Amino acid sequence: MNAQLATLNPLPAALQSPAWADPRHPGRRRHVGDFLIRTEALVHFNQLLGRLQHFPLDQDQLATASRELAGQSAPTRPASIRQRLQLAGTVEQMIDDAGWETAADAVLPARVVVDYVHGRHALIPGGLPPVRRLDDAILVDAAWPQLAGEVDSYLDFCRLRALEAELRGCMVGRFRFTRADWLQARRAEAGLIAHCRRVGGTSYLPAPDTHSFRVY
């Protein structure tokens, strides 16, 4: 899994820039389907966006984005939302993993995402397919500049921990493997790759230690 948003389906264009109020058009949309976007819920949502250093959204942007999603999707959840919910699941796994000490600057955005996804909120209610959970997806997008690097590191940690488990012949979780161990394993892996590149297909150099990834 790649943690970069550039590889995902984009969210609607209406959400990609700050709102621009045009006094010549006072009748801006405030509904997602038949549901009125409540001002109090939007204020709270924008406060969370502010904590993630993201610009606020208005009702018209949400209504426009919802119409775009409804026009391009079957009754199932759009891929753009589904992909971001998967990322939110990875963030939750990361902060709940006892072996991984999440970097300090990633803790707050990770918590904002996970708490919102599991919280009781009604910015966009769950009974509005295909736009349900659009607000969750927006929050993931807003948090991602602060989370992408940490999540990529965590996914690599999981990869090397699984390799270590295979070398030990046991299940993940049956041995101690920390962020420091991951850094050590990364250095060992980089050294092995560099060695293989140097020797190429034939070599007079000694073969590397096949147990170089082991963490003791």
Side-chain angles (χ1 to χ4, degrees):
M1 179 181 181
N2 188 299
Q4 301 306 315
L5 289 180
T7 66
L8 306 185
N9 292 42
L11 292 177
L15 304 172
Q16 304 305 324
S17 57
W20 179 67
D22 186 346
R24 296 173 299 174
H25 300 284
R28 294 166 69 80
R29 290 171 292 224
R30 300 185 177 186
H31 289 79
V32 172
D34 295 328
F35 177 78
L36 175 66
I37 301 170
R38 296 186 301 111
T39 300
E40 319 87 78
L42 183 57
V43 167
H44 172 66
F45 189 73
N46 279 331
Q47 287 172 344
L48 295 179
L49 290 180
R51 294 180 68 188
L52 299 172
Q53 303 174 32
H54 190 277
F55 55 80
L57 298 173
D58 68 12
Q59 293 161 315
D60 185 70
Q61 286 174 290
L62 294 169
T64 301
S66 299
R67 289 184 62 182
E68 180 180 329
L69 289 171
Q72 69 186 18
S73 301
T76 56
R77 181 172 292 150
S80 57
I81 296 178
R82 185 175 64 252
Q83 291 164 342
R84 284 159 179 81
L85 292 178
Q86 291 172 347
L87 291 179
T90 303
V91 171
E92 182 173 11
Q93 177 186 335
M94 177 182 74
I95 62 176
D96 288 345
D97 194 322
W100 181 255
E101 184 180 354
T102 303
D105 59 355
V107 171
L108 185 147
R111 269 287 152 216
V112 169
V113 168
V114 172
D115 290 349
Y116 189 83
V117 166
H118 289 294
R120 293 187 175 184
H121 52 83
L123 180 60
I124 298 177
L128 289 175
V131 299
R132 61 181 181 270
R133 310 297 295 275
L134 172 60
D135 45 346
D136 295 358
I138 293 170
L139 212 62
V140 170
D141 258 27
W144 216 247
Q146 302 169 63
L147 287 177
E150 184 69 2
V151 172
D152 270 337
S153 294
Y154 175 68
L155 292 174
D156 192 58
F157 166 85
C158 291
R159 178 184 67 84
L160 288 174
R161 182 172 58 179
L163 178 58
E164 178 70 16
E166 184 178 348
L167 290 171
R168 290 172 179 259
C170 67
M171 300 291 292
V172 169
R174 299 297 297 273
F175 60 95
R176 185 173 182 271
F177 193 85
T178 66
R179 187 171 187 137
D181 296 325
W182 163 69
L183 290 171
Q184 178 183 337
R186 281 189 70 192
R187 288 191 292 268
E189 182 182 52
L192 178 60
I193 292 171
H195 175 91
C196 292
R197 286 175 176 168
R198 286 196 305 269
V199 302
T202 59
S203 172
Y204 295 102
L205 296 176
D209 180 1
T210 57
H211 297 289
S212 59
F213 286 169
R214 295 296 296 273
V215 175
Y216 298 97

